[in-house]
Amino acid sequence: MGRLDDRVALVTGASRGLGEGIARHLAAEGAVVVCGDVLDATEVASSLPASPSGRKSKAVHLDVSDTAEVDQVAADIGREFGSLDILCNNAGVAQPIAAVVDTPDDVIQKVFAVNVYGVIACTRAAARIMKERERGRIVNTASQVGKVAWPGWGVYSASKAAVIAVTQVTATELAPWNIQVNAICPGTMMTNMTRTGFTGGLREGENLEEALGQKGASIPMKRLGTADDVGNMVVFLASDECSFTTGAAINLTGGEMVSF
């Protein structure tokens, strides 16, 4: 038996990276996973094991910045599966490395539309269903830079600080319906987003793999984080083992960040 047998989960940004890792770990614990993404997540969804009752995971197109689509996807999940037990607000976009004063409007608008407005829109839609059943778990992917901003990542940092704030307030507002809301704050993870970010910050003649290796060596636990690390944490937060934690922003950084 899995810790999440036949619970229904929506994972945004599930086609790759941390989202794929989250989806795989939820399914391994028995959940039915709806893999939402603007990219095609069919390959991920079709590779997930069926739930104990035989229900299969599926992929759906989901632009989290589109309120109408978010509401429709959530309503469809409620009708098809009868519940929505777990929401993982993982979809996110990075920014080209730049000082805040040099960041153009379109980048600011895109980062906040996906990273902040998307979290709010999906939380709002999922909570409507969860409140009816008086049960639910929402896990938001924030970032260590939402606690201490990095130069060159100011807009992204601000968006992740907003995710932490949204986590705290919705945890308080939804607690009467037994809905727990928590955030994970990953450190430097081995993902395509990280590789792209490091590529943009390389000095002339610097090698990407060497830069990533040096970054991993600088972390107290001597490695970068992985999608498996995030997936394992999400499973715990979504499970019955985690019954009295809400409004938390949990560091998952290997010691790279140890602040509150």
Side-chain angles (χ1 to χ4, degrees), residues 74-95:
D76 289 346
I77 291 171
R79 281 191 294 269
E80 181 174 355
F81 296 103
S83 67
L84 177 53
D85 306 295
I86 302 163
L87 167 65
C88 297
N89 279 314
N90 172 76
V93 295
Q95 65 164 99

PDB file of all heavy atoms in Angstrom, residues 74-95:
ATOM      1  N   ALA A  74      -9.589  22.350 -13.360  1.00  0.00           N
ATOM      2  CA  ALA A  74      -9.966  21.924 -12.007  1.00  0.00           C
ATOM      3  C   ALA A  74     -11.372  21.346 -11.985  1.00  0.00           C
ATOM      4  O   ALA A  74     -11.617  20.295 -11.360  1.00  0.00           O
ATOM      5  CB  ALA A  74      -9.861  23.107 -11.039  1.00  0.00           C
ATOM      6  N   ALA A  75     -12.300  21.994 -12.668  1.00  0.00           N
ATOM      7  CA  ALA A  75     -13.671  21.487 -12.717  1.00  0.00           C
ATOM      8  C   ALA A  75     -13.730  20.128 -13.403  1.00  0.00           C
ATOM      9  O   ALA A  75     -14.457  19.222 -12.961  1.00  0.00           O
ATOM     10  CB  ALA A  75     -14.577  22.489 -13.440  1.00  0.00           C
ATOM     11  N   ASP A  76     -12.972  19.964 -14.474  1.00  0.00           N
ATOM     12  CA  ASP A  76     -12.940  18.682 -15.183  1.00  0.00           C
ATOM     13  C   ASP A  76     -12.391  17.564 -14.292  1.00  0.00           C
ATOM     14  O   ASP A  76     -12.883  16.433 -14.315  1.00  0.00           O
ATOM     15  CB  ASP A  76     -12.093  18.790 -16.450  1.00  0.00           C
ATOM     16  CG  ASP A  76     -12.749  19.625 -17.536  1.00  0.00           C
ATOM     17  OD1 ASP A  76     -13.961  19.894 -17.422  1.00  0.00           O
ATOM     18  OD2 ASP A  76     -12.042  20.019 -18.491  1.00  0.00           O
ATOM     19  N   ILE A  77     -11.361  17.890 -13.512  1.00  0.00           N
ATOM     20  CA  ILE A  77     -10.797  16.889 -12.596  1.00  0.00           C
ATOM     21  C   ILE A  77     -11.852  16.482 -11.565  1.00  0.00           C
ATOM     22  O   ILE A  77     -12.026  15.294 -11.267  1.00  0.00           O
ATOM     23  CB  ILE A  77      -9.546  17.450 -11.897  1.00  0.00           C
ATOM     24  CG1 ILE A  77      -8.403  17.617 -12.900  1.00  0.00           C
ATOM     25  CG2 ILE A  77      -9.104  16.526 -10.751  1.00  0.00           C
ATOM     26  CD1 ILE A  77      -7.199  18.358 -12.344  1.00  0.00           C
ATOM     27  N   GLY A  78     -12.557  17.461 -11.018  1.00  0.00           N
ATOM     28  CA  GLY A  78     -13.596  17.157 -10.040  1.00  0.00           C
ATOM     29  C   GLY A  78     -14.681  16.262 -10.605  1.00  0.00           C
ATOM     30  O   GLY A  78     -15.130  15.315  -9.944  1.00  0.00           O
ATOM     31  N   ARG A  79     -15.083  16.536 -11.844  1.00  0.00           N
ATOM     32  CA  ARG A  79     -16.135  15.716 -12.458  1.00  0.00           C
ATOM     33  C   ARG A  79     -15.639  14.312 -12.797  1.00  0.00           C
ATOM     34  O   ARG A  79     -16.338  13.322 -12.581  1.00  0.00           O
ATOM     35  CB  ARG A  79     -16.654  16.399 -13.723  1.00  0.00           C
ATOM     36  CG  ARG A  79     -17.635  17.534 -13.458  1.00  0.00           C
ATOM     37  CD  ARG A  79     -18.314  17.975 -14.730  1.00  0.00           C
ATOM     38  NE  ARG A  79     -17.360  18.585 -15.653  1.00  0.00           N
ATOM     39  CZ  ARG A  79     -17.088  19.889 -15.686  1.00  0.00           C
ATOM     40  NH1 ARG A  79     -17.678  20.705 -14.831  1.00  0.00           N
ATOM     41  NH2 ARG A  79     -16.232  20.382 -16.543  1.00  0.00           N
ATOM     42  N   GLU A  80     -14.431  14.222 -13.357  1.00  0.00           N
ATOM     43  CA  GLU A  80     -13.918  12.927 -13.814  1.00  0.00           C
ATOM     44  C   GLU A  80     -13.506  12.016 -12.666  1.00  0.00           C
ATOM     45  O   GLU A  80     -13.796  10.816 -12.687  1.00  0.00           O
ATOM     46  CB  GLU A  80     -12.724  13.135 -14.742  1.00  0.00           C
ATOM     47  CG  GLU A  80     -12.127  11.836 -15.281  1.00  0.00           C
ATOM     48  CD  GLU A  80     -11.025  12.051 -16.308  1.00  0.00           C
ATOM     49  OE1 GLU A  80     -10.786  13.214 -16.686  1.00  0.00           O
ATOM     50  OE2 GLU A  80     -10.407  11.052 -16.726  1.00  0.00           O
ATOM     51  N   PHE A  81     -12.842  12.584 -11.667  1.00  0.00           N
ATOM     52  CA  PHE A  81     -12.288  11.748 -10.599  1.00  0.00           C
ATOM     53  C   PHE A  81     -13.056  11.844  -9.290  1.00  0.00           C
ATOM     54  O   PHE A  81     -12.820  11.059  -8.373  1.00  0.00           O
ATOM     55  CB  PHE A  81     -10.825  12.125 -10.357  1.00  0.00           C
ATOM     56  CG  PHE A  81      -9.924  11.849 -11.526  1.00  0.00           C
ATOM     57  CD1 PHE A  81      -9.500  12.887 -12.352  1.00  0.00           C
ATOM     58  CD2 PHE A  81      -9.506  10.554 -11.818  1.00  0.00           C
ATOM     59  CE1 PHE A  81      -8.662  12.636 -13.428  1.00  0.00           C
ATOM     60  CE2 PHE A  81      -8.669  10.299 -12.887  1.00  0.00           C
ATOM     61  CZ  PHE A  81      -8.244  11.338 -13.700  1.00  0.00           C
ATOM     62  N   GLY A  82     -13.944  12.822  -9.186  1.00  0.00           N
ATOM     63  CA  GLY A  82     -14.748  12.944  -7.977  1.00  0.00           C
ATOM     64  C   GLY A  82     -14.082  13.705  -6.849  1.00  0.00           C
ATOM     65  O   GLY A  82     -14.703  13.958  -5.813  1.00  0.00           O
ATOM     66  N   SER A  83     -12.831  14.081  -7.025  1.00  0.00           N
ATOM     67  CA  SER A  83     -12.132  14.831  -5.980  1.00  0.00           C
ATOM     68  C   SER A  83     -10.870  15.454  -6.562  1.00  0.00           C
ATOM     69  O   SER A  83     -10.445  15.114  -7.668  1.00  0.00           O
ATOM     70  CB  SER A  83     -11.759  13.913  -4.808  1.00  0.00           C
ATOM     71  OG  SER A  83     -10.782  12.969  -5.197  1.00  0.00           O
ATOM     72  N   LEU A  84     -10.297  16.333  -5.797  1.00  0.00           N
ATOM     73  CA  LEU A  84      -8.959  16.857  -6.065  1.00  0.00           C
ATOM     74  C   LEU A  84      -8.322  16.990  -4.694  1.00  0.00           C
ATOM     75  O   LEU A  84      -8.624  17.904  -3.939  1.00  0.00           O
ATOM     76  CB  LEU A  84      -9.013  18.194  -6.795  1.00  0.00           C
ATOM     77  CG  LEU A  84      -7.668  18.884  -7.058  1.00  0.00           C
ATOM     78  CD1 LEU A  84      -6.689  17.948  -7.757  1.00  0.00           C
ATOM     79  CD2 LEU A  84      -7.849  20.154  -7.883  1.00  0.00           C
ATOM     80  N   ASP A  85      -7.467  16.028  -4.362  1.00  0.00           N
ATOM     81  CA  ASP A  85      -6.934  15.924  -3.012  1.00  0.00           C
ATOM     82  C   ASP A  85      -5.627  16.677  -2.815  1.00  0.00           C
ATOM     83  O   ASP A  85      -5.327  17.120  -1.710  1.00  0.00           O
ATOM     84  CB  ASP A  85      -6.704  14.449  -2.661  1.00  0.00           C
ATOM     85  CG  ASP A  85      -7.952  13.606  -2.857  1.00  0.00           C
ATOM     86  OD1 ASP A  85      -8.929  13.853  -2.126  1.00  0.00           O
ATOM     87  OD2 ASP A  85      -7.957  12.730  -3.746  1.00  0.00           O
ATOM     88  N   ILE A  86      -4.834  16.773  -3.898  1.00  0.00           N
ATOM     89  CA  ILE A  86      -3.492  17.342  -3.799  1.00  0.00           C
ATOM     90  C   ILE A  86      -3.260  18.292  -4.969  1.00  0.00           C
ATOM     91  O   ILE A  86      -3.512  17.925  -6.120  1.00  0.00           O
ATOM     92  CB  ILE A  86      -2.418  16.240  -3.835  1.00  0.00           C
ATOM     93  CG1 ILE A  86      -2.629  15.223  -2.706  1.00  0.00           C
ATOM     94  CG2 ILE A  86      -1.020  16.837  -3.779  1.00  0.00           C
ATOM     95  CD1 ILE A  86      -1.889  13.917  -2.932  1.00  0.00           C
ATOM     96  N   LEU A  87      -2.800  19.483  -4.681  1.00  0.00           N
ATOM     97  CA  LEU A  87      -2.381  20.421  -5.722  1.00  0.00           C
ATOM     98  C   LEU A  87      -0.915  20.746  -5.496  1.00  0.00           C
ATOM     99  O   LEU A  87      -0.528  21.162  -4.390  1.00  0.00           O
ATOM    100  CB  LEU A  87      -3.195  21.713  -5.669  1.00  0.00           C
ATOM    101  CG  LEU A  87      -2.649  22.883  -6.502  1.00  0.00           C
ATOM    102  CD1 LEU A  87      -2.681  22.553  -7.995  1.00  0.00           C
ATOM    103  CD2 LEU A  87      -3.413  24.168  -6.207  1.00  0.00           C
ATOM    104  N   CYS A  88      -0.109  20.554  -6.524  1.00  0.00           N
ATOM    105  CA  CYS A  88       1.299  20.933  -6.481  1.00  0.00           C
ATOM    106  C   CYS A  88       1.509  22.084  -7.458  1.00  0.00           C
ATOM    107  O   CYS A  88       1.540  21.874  -8.676  1.00  0.00           O
ATOM    108  CB  CYS A  88       2.203  19.753  -6.834  1.00  0.00           C
ATOM    109  SG  CYS A  88       2.073  18.385  -5.670  1.00  0.00           S
ATOM    110  N   ASN A  89       1.618  23.283  -6.907  1.00  0.00           N
ATOM    111  CA  ASN A  89       1.855  24.472  -7.726  1.00  0.00           C
ATOM    112  C   ASN A  89       3.345  24.554  -8.031  1.00  0.00           C
ATOM    113  O   ASN A  89       4.110  25.216  -7.322  1.00  0.00           O
ATOM    114  CB  ASN A  89       1.401  25.725  -6.972  1.00  0.00           C
ATOM    115  CG  ASN A  89      -0.086  25.962  -7.069  1.00  0.00           C
ATOM    116  OD1 ASN A  89      -0.672  25.879  -8.141  1.00  0.00           O
ATOM    117  ND2 ASN A  89      -0.706  26.256  -5.940  1.00  0.00           N
ATOM    118  N   ASN A  90       3.743  23.882  -9.096  1.00  0.00           N
ATOM    119  CA  ASN A  90       5.163  23.784  -9.423  1.00  0.00           C
ATOM    120  C   ASN A  90       5.562  24.577 -10.663  1.00  0.00           C
ATOM    121  O   ASN A  90       6.736  24.908 -10.818  1.00  0.00           O
ATOM    122  CB  ASN A  90       5.541  22.312  -9.613  1.00  0.00           C
ATOM    123  CG  ASN A  90       6.942  22.137 -10.128  1.00  0.00           C
ATOM    124  OD1 ASN A  90       7.913  22.281  -9.396  1.00  0.00           O
ATOM    125  ND2 ASN A  90       7.055  21.847 -11.426  1.00  0.00           N
ATOM    126  N   ALA A  91       4.614  24.872 -11.544  1.00  0.00           N
ATOM    127  CA  ALA A  91       4.951  25.579 -12.779  1.00  0.00           C
ATOM    128  C   ALA A  91       5.647  26.902 -12.463  1.00  0.00           C
ATOM    129  O   ALA A  91       5.216  27.652 -11.585  1.00  0.00           O
ATOM    130  CB  ALA A  91       3.693  25.845 -13.602  1.00  0.00           C
ATOM    131  N   GLY A  92       6.726  27.163 -13.162  1.00  0.00           N
ATOM    132  CA  GLY A  92       7.451  28.406 -12.932  1.00  0.00           C
ATOM    133  C   GLY A  92       8.384  28.720 -14.081  1.00  0.00           C
ATOM    134  O   GLY A  92       8.770  27.829 -14.842  1.00  0.00           O
ATOM    135  N   VAL A  93       8.727  29.970 -14.198  1.00  0.00           N
ATOM    136  CA  VAL A  93       9.682  30.406 -15.213  1.00  0.00           C
ATOM    137  C   VAL A  93      10.776  31.214 -14.536  1.00  0.00           C
ATOM    138  O   VAL A  93      10.552  31.860 -13.502  1.00  0.00           O
ATOM    139  CB  VAL A  93       9.015  31.239 -16.326  1.00  0.00           C
ATOM    140  CG1 VAL A  93       8.029  30.396 -17.108  1.00  0.00           C
ATOM    141  CG2 VAL A  93       8.325  32.473 -15.742  1.00  0.00           C
ATOM    142  N   ALA A  94      11.960  31.157 -15.098  1.00  0.00           N
ATOM    143  CA  ALA A  94      13.091  31.931 -14.592  1.00  0.00           C
ATOM    144  C   ALA A  94      13.162  33.260 -15.341  1.00  0.00           C
ATOM    145  O   ALA A  94      12.246  33.631 -16.078  1.00  0.00           O
ATOM    146  CB  ALA A  94      14.384  31.138 -14.761  1.00  0.00           C
ATOM    147  N   GLN A  95      14.258  33.956 -15.178  1.00  0.00           N
ATOM    148  CA  GLN A  95      14.469  35.218 -15.867  1.00  0.00           C
ATOM    149  C   GLN A  95      15.883  35.236 -16.418  1.00  0.00           C
ATOM    150  O   GLN A  95      16.770  34.575 -15.883  1.00  0.00           O
ATOM    151  CB  GLN A  95      14.310  36.395 -14.894  1.00  0.00           C
ATOM    152  CG  GLN A  95      15.376  36.398 -13.794  1.00  0.00           C
ATOM    153  CD  GLN A  95      15.486  37.734 -13.076  1.00  0.00           C
ATOM    154  OE1 GLN A  95      14.942  37.901 -12.006  1.00  0.00           O
ATOM    155  NE2 GLN A  95      16.207  38.679 -13.678  1.00  0.00           N
TER     156      GLN A  95
END
